[in-house]
Amino acid sequence: MSKPTFVSTVVAATMLLVSQQAIATIVQVKTSLGDFEVNLFDETTPVTVQNFLNYVNSGRYNETVIHRSVPGFIIQGGGFRFPGQLPLAPIQTNAAIVNEPKLSNVRATIAMAKFPGNPNSATSQWFINLADNSAGNPKLDIVEGAYAVFGQINAADMEVVMAIANLPTYNFNGIQELPLRNYTANDRADNVPLTNANMVTVESITVVDARPNTAAGLNPVPNTLLPEPESSSGSSGLALLFLAPLLWWRRRQQ
């Protein structure tokens, strides 16, 4: 996977103008464990929503997998497909987007993952907060320039998200905390090969409500811990947006 390309001021401004015309607010995420809907905050985080919709409309999220699950913290997807065997295959990504850390990383929100050390490096990968991660360890409303929340899952649909989060996870070469179905610790010890039946697959993400203002009644929690603006640092050599430094820090604090 090549290093991310970062948007210029001109490109970012263009994306902002286009995002004002976003025609979708609610998307359905169909997974192998059930479906859930995400209400996107088009008007609050237009650049992030439009970026997400670009991947939705291109079909690049279809047949991707939930590639990381950390109990009580997050589940993460939007970056990889399972080609029938490991390693996972990265999807094609667009240019990175500017960060929009306006809303808080409370439970049941969806936010963008990014490279450590660069707030403006999010591309395709997203994660769902399983708990209030706004001011815990780590404080996702502060660290790395804050993580941009751009949507919310309702309480009923969070049952599907939690079913995914409750699956056992396993480590393989190049990937950690991969949630798997129909797979046991004995299977891992015996190096039983993985199949599609073991993966939590995002079969599709589609628009189900095209009104741009349906988030008006959700009352998203604002990020009141916003840091001072940061300048972008150089691109990281890391190939995966796994929130790895944050997870290490979180474990260290426990």
Coordinates of all heavy atoms in Angstrom, one line a residue, residues 137-197:
N137 N -9.0 6.8 27.8 CA -7.7 6.5 27.5 C -7.6 5.6 26.2 O -7.9 4.4 26.3 CB -6.9 5.8 28.6 CG -6.6 6.7 29.8 OD1 -6.2 7.8 29.6 ND2 -6.7 6.2 31.0
P138 N -7.4 6.2 25.1 CA -7.0 7.5 24.8 C -8.2 8.5 24.7 O -9.3 8.0 24.5 CB -6.2 7.4 23.5 CG -7.0 6.3 22.8 CD -7.3 5.3 23.8
K139 N -7.9 9.7 24.7 CA -9.0 10.7 24.5 C -9.1 11.0 23.0 O -8.4 11.9 22.5 CB -8.6 12.0 25.3 CG -8.5 11.8 26.8 CD -8.1 13.1 27.5 CE -7.9 12.9 29.0 NZ -7.5 14.1 29.7
L140 N -10.1 10.4 22.3 CA -10.2 10.5 20.9 C -10.7 11.9 20.5 O -10.6 12.3 19.3 CB -11.1 9.5 20.3 CG -10.7 8.0 20.5 CD1 -11.5 7.1 19.7 CD2 -9.2 7.8 20.1
D141 N -11.2 12.7 21.4 CA -11.6 14.1 21.1 C -10.4 15.0 21.1 O -10.5 16.2 20.9 CB -12.6 14.6 22.0 CG -14.0 14.1 21.7 OD1 -14.1 13.2 20.8 OD2 -15.0 14.5 22.3
I142 N -9.2 14.5 21.5 CA -8.0 15.3 21.6 C -6.8 14.8 20.8 O -6.2 15.5 20.1 CB -7.6 15.5 23.1 CG1 -8.7 16.1 23.9 CG2 -6.3 16.3 23.3 CD1 -8.4 16.2 25.4
V143 N -6.5 13.5 21.1 CA -5.2 13.0 20.5 C -5.3 13.0 19.0 O -6.3 12.9 18.3 CB -5.0 11.6 21.0 CG1 -4.7 11.6 22.5 CG2 -6.1 10.6 20.6
E144 N -4.1 13.1 18.4 CA -3.9 13.1 16.9 C -4.8 14.2 16.2 O -5.2 14.0 15.1 CB -4.3 11.8 16.3 CG -3.4 10.6 16.9 CD -2.0 10.7 16.4 OE1 -1.7 11.5 15.5 OE2 -1.1 10.0 17.0
G145 N -5.0 15.3 16.9 CA -5.8 16.4 16.3 C -7.3 16.1 16.4 O -8.1 16.8 15.9
A146 N -7.6 15.1 17.2 CA -9.0 14.6 17.4 C -9.5 13.8 16.2 O -9.1 14.1 15.0 CB -10.0 15.7 17.7
Y147 N -10.3 12.8 16.4 CA -10.9 12.0 15.4 C -12.2 12.5 15.0 O -13.1 12.7 15.8 CB -10.9 10.5 15.8 CG -9.6 9.9 15.8 CD1 -8.7 10.1 16.9 CD2 -9.2 9.1 14.8 CE1 -7.4 9.5 16.9 CE2 -7.9 8.5 14.8 CZ -7.0 8.7 15.8 OH -5.7 8.2 15.8
A148 N -12.5 12.6 13.6 CA -13.6 13.2 13.1 C -14.8 12.3 13.1 O -14.9 11.4 12.3 CB -13.4 13.7 11.7
V149 N -15.8 12.5 14.0 CA -17.1 11.8 14.0 C -17.9 12.4 12.9 O -18.0 13.6 12.7 CB -17.8 12.0 15.3 CG1 -19.2 11.6 15.3 CG2 -17.0 11.2 16.4
F150 N -18.6 11.5 12.1 CA -19.4 12.0 11.0 C -20.8 11.4 10.9 O -21.5 11.6 9.9 CB -18.7 11.9 9.7 CG -18.4 10.5 9.3 CD1 -19.2 9.8 8.4 CD2 -17.3 9.8 9.7 CE1 -18.9 8.5 8.0 CE2 -17.0 8.5 9.4 CZ -17.8 7.8 8.5
G151 N -21.1 10.5 11.9 CA -22.4 9.9 11.8 C -22.7 9.2 13.1 O -21.9 9.1 14.0
Q152 N -23.9 8.6 13.2 CA -24.4 8.0 14.4 C -25.3 6.8 14.1 O -26.1 6.8 13.1 CB -25.2 9.0 15.2 CG -25.8 8.6 16.6 CD -26.4 9.7 17.3 OE1 -25.9 10.8 17.4 NE2 -27.6 9.4 18.0
I153 N -25.2 5.8 14.9 CA -26.0 4.6 14.8 C -27.1 4.6 16.0 O -26.7 4.9 17.1 CB -25.2 3.3 14.9 CG1 -24.2 3.3 13.8 CG2 -26.0 2.0 14.9 CD1 -22.8 3.7 14.2
N154 N -28.3 4.2 15.6 CA -29.3 4.3 16.7 C -29.2 3.1 17.7 O -28.5 2.1 17.4 CB -30.8 4.4 16.1 CG -31.1 3.1 15.3 OD1 -30.8 2.0 15.7 ND2 -31.9 3.3 14.3
A155 N -29.9 3.2 18.8 CA -29.7 2.2 19.9 C -30.0 0.8 19.4 O -29.3 -0.2 19.7 CB -30.5 2.6 21.1
A156 N -31.1 0.6 18.7 CA -31.5 -0.7 18.2 C -30.5 -1.3 17.3 O -30.2 -2.5 17.4 CB -32.9 -0.6 17.5
D157 N -30.0 -0.5 16.4 CA -29.0 -1.1 15.4 C -27.6 -1.3 16.1 O -26.8 -2.1 15.5 CB -28.8 -0.1 14.2 CG -30.0 -0.2 13.3 OD1 -31.0 -0.9 13.6 OD2 -30.0 0.5 12.2
M158 N -27.4 -0.7 17.2 CA -26.1 -1.0 17.9 C -26.0 -2.4 18.4 O -25.0 -2.9 18.7 CB -25.9 0.0 19.1 CG -25.3 1.3 18.7 SD -23.6 1.2 18.0 CE -22.7 0.7 19.5
E159 N -27.2 -3.1 18.5 CA -27.2 -4.5 18.8 C -26.4 -5.3 17.8 O -25.7 -6.3 18.2 CB -28.6 -5.0 19.0 CG -29.4 -4.4 20.1 CD -30.8 -5.0 20.3 OE1 -31.1 -6.0 19.5 OE2 -31.5 -4.5 21.1
V160 N -26.5 -5.0 16.5 CA -25.7 -5.7 15.5 C -24.2 -5.3 15.7 O -23.4 -6.2 15.6 CB -26.2 -5.3 14.1 CG1 -25.3 -5.8 13.0 CG2 -27.6 -5.7 13.9
V161 N -23.9 -4.1 15.9 CA -22.5 -3.7 16.1 C -21.9 -4.4 17.3 O -20.8 -4.9 17.2 CB -22.5 -2.1 16.3 CG1 -21.0 -1.7 16.7 CG2 -22.9 -1.4 15.1
M162 N -22.7 -4.5 18.4 CA -22.2 -5.2 19.6 C -22.0 -6.7 19.3 O -21.1 -7.4 19.9 CB -23.1 -5.0 20.8 CG -23.1 -3.5 21.2 SD -21.5 -2.8 21.5 CE -20.8 -3.9 22.8
A163 N -22.9 -7.3 18.5 CA -22.7 -8.7 18.1 C -21.4 -8.9 17.4 O -20.7 -9.9 17.7 CB -23.9 -9.2 17.2
I164 N -21.0 -8.0 16.6 CA -19.7 -8.0 15.9 C -18.6 -7.9 17.0 O -17.6 -8.6 17.0 CB -19.6 -7.0 14.8 CG1 -20.6 -7.2 13.7 CG2 -18.1 -6.9 14.3 CD1 -20.7 -6.1 12.7
A165 N -18.8 -6.9 17.9 CA -17.7 -6.6 18.9 C -17.5 -7.7 19.8 O -16.5 -7.9 20.4 CB -18.1 -5.3 19.6
N166 N -18.6 -8.6 20.0 CA -18.5 -9.7 21.0 C -17.8 -10.9 20.4 O -17.6 -11.9 21.2 CB -19.9 -10.0 21.5 CG -20.4 -8.9 22.5 OD1 -19.6 -8.2 23.1 ND2 -21.7 -8.8 22.5
L167 N -17.5 -10.9 19.2 CA -16.8 -12.1 18.6 C -15.4 -12.2 19.1 O -14.8 -11.2 19.4 CB -16.7 -12.0 17.0 CG -18.1 -12.1 16.3 CD1 -17.8 -11.7 14.8 CD2 -18.6 -13.5 16.4
P168 N -14.9 -13.4 19.2 CA -13.5 -13.6 19.6 C -12.5 -13.0 18.5 O -12.9 -13.0 17.3 CB -13.3 -15.1 19.7 CG -14.4 -15.7 18.9 CD -15.5 -14.7 18.9
T169 N -11.4 -12.5 18.9 CA -10.4 -12.0 18.0 C -9.1 -12.8 18.0 O -8.8 -13.4 19.0 CB -10.1 -10.5 18.3 OG1 -9.5 -10.4 19.6 CG2 -11.4 -9.7 18.2
Y170 N -8.4 -12.7 16.9 CA -7.2 -13.5 16.7 C -6.1 -12.7 16.0 O -6.4 -11.8 15.2 CB -7.4 -14.8 15.9 CG -8.5 -15.7 16.6 CD1 -9.8 -15.5 16.3 CD2 -8.1 -16.6 17.5 CE1 -10.8 -16.3 16.9 CE2 -9.1 -17.4 18.2 CZ -10.4 -17.2 17.8 OH -11.4 -18.0 18.4
N171 N -4.9 -13.0 16.4 CA -3.7 -12.3 15.7 C -3.1 -13.2 14.7 O -2.9 -14.4 14.9 CB -2.7 -11.9 16.8 CG -3.2 -11.0 17.8 OD1 -4.2 -10.2 17.6 ND2 -2.6 -11.0 19.0
F172 N -2.8 -12.6 13.6 CA -2.0 -13.3 12.5 C -0.9 -12.4 12.1 O -0.8 -11.2 12.5 CB -3.0 -13.5 11.3 CG -4.1 -14.4 11.6 CD1 -5.3 -13.9 12.2 CD2 -4.1 -15.8 11.4 CE1 -6.4 -14.7 12.5 CE2 -5.1 -16.6 11.7 CZ -6.3 -16.1 12.2
N173 N 0.0 -12.9 11.2 CA 1.1 -12.1 10.7 C 0.6 -10.9 10.0 O -0.2 -11.0 9.0 CB 2.0 -12.9 9.8 CG 2.8 -14.0 10.6 OD1 3.0 -13.9 11.8 ND2 3.2 -15.0 9.8
G174 N 0.9 -9.7 10.5 CA 0.5 -8.5 9.8 C -0.8 -7.9 10.2 O -1.2 -6.9 9.7
I175 N -1.5 -8.6 11.1 CA -2.9 -8.1 11.5 C -3.1 -8.6 12.9 O -2.8 -9.7 13.3 CB -4.0 -8.6 10.5 CG1 -5.3 -7.9 10.9 CG2 -4.1 -10.1 10.6 CD1 -6.3 -8.1 9.8
Q176 N -3.7 -7.7 13.7 CA -4.0 -8.0 15.1 C -5.5 -7.8 15.3 O -6.2 -6.9 14.7 CB -3.2 -7.1 16.0 CG -1.7 -7.4 16.0 CD -0.9 -6.5 17.0 OE1 -1.4 -5.5 17.4 NE2 0.2 -7.0 17.4
E177 N -6.0 -8.6 16.3 CA -7.4 -8.4 16.8 C -8.4 -8.5 15.7 O -9.3 -7.7 15.6 CB -7.5 -7.1 17.6 CG -6.6 -7.2 18.8 CD -6.4 -5.9 19.5 OE1 -6.1 -4.9 18.9 OE2 -6.6 -5.8 20.8
L178 N -8.3 -9.5 14.8 CA -9.2 -9.7 13.7 C -10.4 -10.5 14.3 O -10.2 -11.6 14.8 CB -8.5 -10.5 12.6 CG -9.4 -10.9 11.4 CD1 -9.8 -9.7 10.6 CD2 -8.6 -11.9 10.6
P179 N -11.6 -10.0 14.2 CA -12.8 -10.7 14.7 C -13.2 -11.8 13.7 O -13.3 -11.6 12.5 CB -13.9 -9.6 14.8 CG -13.5 -8.6 13.8 CD -12.0 -8.6 13.7
L180 N -13.5 -13.0 14.3 CA -13.8 -14.1 13.4 C -15.0 -14.9 13.9 O -15.2 -15.0 15.1 CB -12.6 -15.1 13.3 CG -11.3 -14.6 12.7 CD1 -10.2 -15.6 12.8 CD2 -11.6 -14.2 11.2
R181 N -15.8 -15.4 13.0 CA -16.9 -16.3 13.2 C -16.5 -17.7 13.0 O -15.6 -18.0 12.2 CB -18.1 -15.9 12.3 CG -18.5 -14.5 12.3 CD -19.7 -14.3 11.4 NE -19.3 -14.5 10.0 CZ -20.2 -15.0 9.1 NH1 -21.4 -15.4 9.4 NH2 -19.8 -15.2 7.8
N182 N -17.2 -18.6 13.8 CA -17.0 -20.0 13.6 C -15.5 -20.4 13.6 O -15.0 -21.2 12.7 CB -17.6 -20.5 12.3 CG -19.1 -20.0 12.1 OD1 -19.9 -20.2 13.1 ND2 -19.4 -19.4 11.0
Y183 N -14.8 -19.8 14.5 CA -13.3 -20.1 14.6 C -12.9 -20.1 16.1 O -13.4 -19.3 16.8 CB -12.6 -19.0 13.9 CG -11.2 -19.3 13.4 CD1 -10.9 -20.1 12.3 CD2 -10.1 -18.9 14.2 CE1 -9.6 -20.4 11.9 CE2 -8.8 -19.2 13.8 CZ -8.6 -20.0 12.6 OH -7.3 -20.3 12.2
T184 N -12.1 -21.1 16.4 CA -11.8 -21.3 17.9 C -10.3 -21.1 18.1 O -9.5 -21.0 17.2 CB -12.2 -22.7 18.3 OG1 -11.4 -23.6 17.6 CG2 -13.7 -22.9 18.0
A185 N -9.9 -21.0 19.4 CA -8.5 -21.0 19.8 C -7.8 -22.2 19.3 O -6.6 -22.1 18.9 CB -8.4 -20.8 21.3
N186 N -8.4 -23.4 19.3 CA -7.8 -24.6 18.8 C -7.6 -24.5 17.3 O -6.5 -25.0 16.8 CB -8.7 -25.8 19.1 CG -8.7 -26.2 20.6 OD1 -7.7 -25.8 21.3 ND2 -9.7 -26.8 21.1
D187 N -8.5 -23.9 16.6 CA -8.3 -23.7 15.2 C -7.1 -22.8 14.9 O -6.2 -23.1 14.0 CB -9.5 -23.0 14.5 CG -10.7 -23.9 14.5 OD1 -10.6 -25.1 14.5 OD2 -11.9 -23.4 14.5
R188 N -6.9 -21.8 15.7 CA -5.8 -20.9 15.5 C -4.5 -21.6 15.9 O -3.5 -21.5 15.2 CB -5.9 -19.7 16.4 CG -4.7 -18.7 16.3 CD -4.8 -18.0 14.9 NE -3.6 -17.2 14.6 CZ -2.5 -17.7 14.0 NH1 -2.5 -18.9 13.5 NH2 -1.5 -16.9 13.7
A189 N -4.5 -22.4 17.0 CA -3.3 -23.2 17.3 C -2.9 -24.2 16.3 O -1.7 -24.5 16.1 CB -3.5 -23.9 18.7
D190 N -3.9 -24.7 15.6 CA -3.6 -25.7 14.5 C -3.4 -25.1 13.2 O -3.3 -25.8 12.2 CB -4.8 -26.7 14.5 CG -4.9 -27.6 15.7 OD1 -3.9 -27.7 16.4 OD2 -6.0 -28.1 16.0
N191 N -3.4 -23.7 13.1 CA -3.3 -23.0 11.9 C -4.3 -23.4 10.8 O -4.0 -23.5 9.6 CB -1.9 -23.2 11.3 CG -0.8 -22.5 12.2 OD1 -1.0 -21.3 12.6 ND2 0.3 -23.2 12.5
V192 N -5.5 -23.5 11.2 CA -6.6 -23.8 10.3 C -6.8 -22.6 9.4 O -6.9 -21.5 9.8 CB -7.9 -24.1 11.0 CG1 -9.1 -24.3 10.1 CG2 -7.8 -25.4 11.9
P193 N -6.8 -22.8 8.1 CA -6.9 -21.7 7.1 C -8.3 -21.0 7.3 O -9.3 -21.6 7.6 CB -6.8 -22.4 5.7 CG -6.1 -23.7 6.0 CD -6.6 -24.1 7.4
L194 N -8.3 -19.7 7.1 CA -9.5 -18.9 7.2 C -10.3 -19.0 5.8 O -9.7 -19.2 4.8 CB -9.2 -17.5 7.5 CG -8.5 -17.2 8.8 CD1 -8.2 -15.7 8.9 CD2 -9.3 -17.7 9.9
T195 N -11.6 -18.9 5.9 CA -12.4 -18.9 4.8 C -13.4 -17.6 4.9 O -13.4 -17.0 5.9 CB -13.3 -20.1 4.6 OG1 -14.3 -20.1 5.7 CG2 -12.5 -21.4 4.7
N196 N -14.1 -17.4 3.8 CA -15.1 -16.2 3.9 C -16.1 -16.4 5.0 O -16.6 -15.4 5.5 CB -15.8 -16.1 2.5 CG -14.9 -15.4 1.5 OD1 -14.3 -14.4 1.7 ND2 -14.8 -16.1 0.3
A197 N -16.4 -17.7 5.3 CA -17.4 -17.9 6.4 C -16.9 -17.5 7.8 O -17.7 -17.3 8.7 CB -17.7 -19.4 6.4

